[in-house]
Structure formats: structure tokens, C-alpha cells
Amino acid sequence: MDFPKRSARELRDLAASGEVSPTELVEAALARIEAVDGKVGAFLSVEADSALARARELEAARARGEPCGPLYGVPIGLKDNLNHTGWPLTCASRVLEGYRASYDATAVRRLLDAGAVPVGRCNMDEFAFGSSTEHSAFQATRNPWKLDRIPGGSSGGSAAAVAAGMVPLAFGSDTGGSIRQPAALCGVAGLKPTYGRVSRFGLVAFGSSLDQIGPFSRDLRDSAVALGVISGRDPRDATSLDAPAFDPATIGEGVRGLRIGVPAEYFDERMDASILATVRAALARLEAEGATLVPLSLPTTPYAIPTYYLVATSEASSNLARFDGVRYGNRAAAKSLLEH
């Protein structure tokens, strides 16, 4: 089995048919991580015992006649800001070193219910502040395609893990591009869902009005399946949409009839010529496949980044105030204030 080149859907079908077992899929993922992650640095921790135990649980459930979920036996990576019971959770910061999650994020619980097998914690910029995954307290992540280049961030560990074939699916968070940008830099699919489509419960908050959890994959349909699994209303998140989960079957075949907006302001004269040419070629390909390109203008585009930094930094300041050493974070030893 050529594990690094298989899609999540192919692996799931192999496991569901009994051709391979979830344990064998996990072992293949662990072997691939062992072989390449020393150079890439995508994972902060690999939870091999937990993953193998989870795979055996799935096999036992299957033997009892329980149905296979849409991600049955599929190894996945989790960004280090998604709570998963019993696992380390550091947000790539020594402030949380030694902390272990006491509950599952809603998205993680839904992945488990779908049969997925988390294998490890993916590196990130500390507390998701950054766009290169160089600013982790523990290690820098490298781009698997060229090790002297960055993978992007802050979900660079998740993007690199998928690009290097260590897992077919990994999950990150996007506040101002932290899924979309590393996906582009690592050459994989990255999906930032509409705000509220996916519950934020159990995601360590950065900017509460901006954060969203989303998947990385090498296959676009894998991202659609993953979104279908993790989306849907959650009573524990008041900002989650009161709407049913996304149905992957609705995406159809091809792009014929699709209307694609092309904002004039996005084609800035400062763009690198090769990137501009690549984007233009992609638009031409979409049009040739039957999509309709619709020119439009977004005149407020120049204000997007300044607005983002006002909103994101003010919300981050409030959210990170909890890491004060009282409830969360390190508590430094100090002499009594009464001593002179």
C-alpha cells in the first residue's frame, strides 16, 4: 500500500472493506512520520499508544457489527490548540507546557464519532500568532517541498504533515489566513469554513469573532467529507450556525455553472509576476471547464488588514488574559512579598 499517496476516502474504503485494518493504517502513518518528520518538524508530539488503542477500539466495534463512519480508520493530525482528552495541549507555548486537555473539542468529538484516528499534535506559531510556524516555543516547521522554506502559518504543522504524506487529513484553525496561507505554501487543499459553520467549542481562542476550524487534505473531496463531519449546530457554541451539517454530496461534479467572483482589488500591481500568471492561468482553466467569471469590485479591500488587526489583537488580549498562572499557565516560584 502506497500510504503517502492515498486519499482519506481511499484509506477509509480499504479499512471498511477489511482489506487493511485501522491498526495497519495507523502503523503506516507512524512509520511515515518516523521516516520524514525529523527533517520537517510537523509534529510536536506523536501519540502512538493512544492512536493504536483507538484503532483497536474501532476494530472491536466493527466486529460487533457497528457501522463504519465516513473516516473509519483514517489517521489525522490535530493542531496543538484543539482539545483532545488526555493529550498534551500547549498551543506551542511553554506557558502551557505540561498541561493536558480534560475534554474534547466539538470538532474533535465529531471526528472521533466518524471513525478518525488522531495520531499527534501538529506544530503552530505560539498561540496562533504568526504566519510561518517559525514562532513555536519548541521547534520550527519546514516546508516539505523545500526544507529551507517556511510552510506558512499559523497552522503550518498541519499543512506540512499532509504535504509530506504523514497523514491524509489534518486540522487547523484560521483567524486571518492561518489555514489558507499554509495550504497555498505547501501545495495542499485548505478550507476555512464560513464563520459559525464549525463549532469553536474546545478551540483555544485567539480572535473569537474570527476563529474557525478547518481541514487540510491532498484531495479536495477529502476536505468536503471532513467539513461534513465537523460542521453543524452545537448548543455549546452560541455563535455556531443554526443549520444542518454540510452535505458533501451537494458539491456535484466539476465547476460547470459555477459563478466565481474576481475582485479587481485582489490583483495588486505589487504582486509577484509568477504568482499573478499562475492565478490568471487557474481562472482561465476554471472558465474553460464551464465556470463563469464575474468581475467585481471590493473598494474596502485596503481597509481589511488594518481592521483585522484592530479586531484580532483586542480579542486576543482578552482571550489570553486567562493564562495568568492562576487557572492556566505556569506559576513561577517567588519569595514571599513580606520578605525584605
Side-chain angles (χ1 to χ4, degrees):
M1 179 181 63
D2 192 357
F3 176 82
K5 295 183 179 180
R6 296 278 191 173
S7 71
R9 291 173 297 111
E10 289 174 319
L11 295 177
R12 182 268 179 197
D13 289 346
L14 287 171
S17 69
E19 187 171 339
V20 297
S21 67
T23 296
E24 289 171 316
L25 292 182
V26 170
E27 288 173 343
L30 295 174
R32 179 67 177 174
I33 293 169
E34 177 68 24
V36 304
D37 200 43
K39 294 180 179 179
V40 177
F43 284 91
L44 285 177
S45 67
V46 178
E47 305 297 325
D49 291 344
S50 171
L52 289 168
R54 164 75 177 154
R56 290 190 289 270
E57 289 174 4
L58 289 171
E59 291 163 14
R62 179 66 166 156
R64 294 192 298 269
E66 296 181 17
C68 297
L71 294 175
Y72 177 73
V74 176
I76 64 171
L78 299 176
K79 186 176 179 179
D80 195 29
N81 60 354
L82 288 164
N83 278 270
H84 182 24
T85 305
W87 276 25
L89 178 71
T90 69
C91 296
S93 174
R94 295 196 185 280
V95 169
L96 286 175
E97 193 169 17
Y99 177 75
R100 288 185 176 269
S102 58
Y103 67 101
D104 289 328
T106 294
V108 172
R109 173 42 52 194
R110 289 174 174 172
L111 288 165
L112 295 172
D113 290 344
V117 184
V119 297
R121 286 285 190 199
C122 295
N123 197 23
M124 57 186 284
D125 288 303
E126 189 169 3
F127 287 110
F129 297 173
S131 55
S132 66
T133 315
E134 296 172 292
H135 305 294
S136 162
F138 304 105
Q139 65 193 35
T141 298
R142 298 175 176 83
N143 194 310
W145 298 107
K146 193 168 176 56
L147 294 175
D148 62 349
R149 303 294 177 91
I150 62 169
S154 63
S155 304
S158 298
V162 170
M166 292 183 257
V167 286
L169 272 176
F171 293 82
S173 62
D174 191 310
T175 305
S178 287
I179 290 175
R180 294 161 287 174
Q181 186 245 35
L185 268 62
C186 288
V188 298
L191 176 62
K192 186 267 183 185
T194 299
Y195 184 81
R197 171 63 81 179
V198 178
S199 171
R200 293 182 297 109
F201 180 78
L203 169 68
V204 179
F206 171 1
S208 301
S209 66
L210 301 166
D211 296 340
Q212 275 291 271
I213 300 165
F216 292 91
S217 66
R218 294 188 299 276
D219 181 294
L220 284 171
R221 289 194 176 276
D222 283 353
S223 286
V225 171
L227 179 60
V229 167
I230 64 176
S231 65
R233 172 72 176 154
D234 178 14
R236 291 173 294 185
D237 177 3
T239 65
S240 65
L241 293 175
D242 188 10
F246 172 75
D247 181 1
T250 62
I251 63 174
E253 296 289 340
V255 296
R256 185 165 300 280
L258 189 67
R259 289 163 55 84
I260 300 175
V262 184
E265 291 81 4
Y266 286 14
F267 295 85
D268 192 286
E269 63 182 11
R270 295 167 294 180
M271 285 180 70
D272 182 275
S274 64
I275 294 175
L276 178 60
T278 300
V279 173
R280 292 291 189 194
L283 290 172
R285 175 65 183 275
L286 289 166
E287 192 169 34
E289 294 290 332
T292 300
L293 303 184
V294 182
L296 55 86
S297 176
L298 297 176
T300 58
T301 296
Y303 308 109
I305 292 178
T307 302
Y308 166 79
Y309 277 107
L310 284 172
V311 174
T313 53
S314 60
E315 292 187 357
S317 176
S318 177
N319 283 322
L320 268 68
R322 71 194 65 179
F323 302 112
D324 54 9
V326 177
R327 291 171 297 168
Y328 303 99
N330 290 332
R331 179 178 297 185
K335 293 182 177 180
S336 168
L337 295 177
L338 299 178
E339 293 182 10
H340 295 285

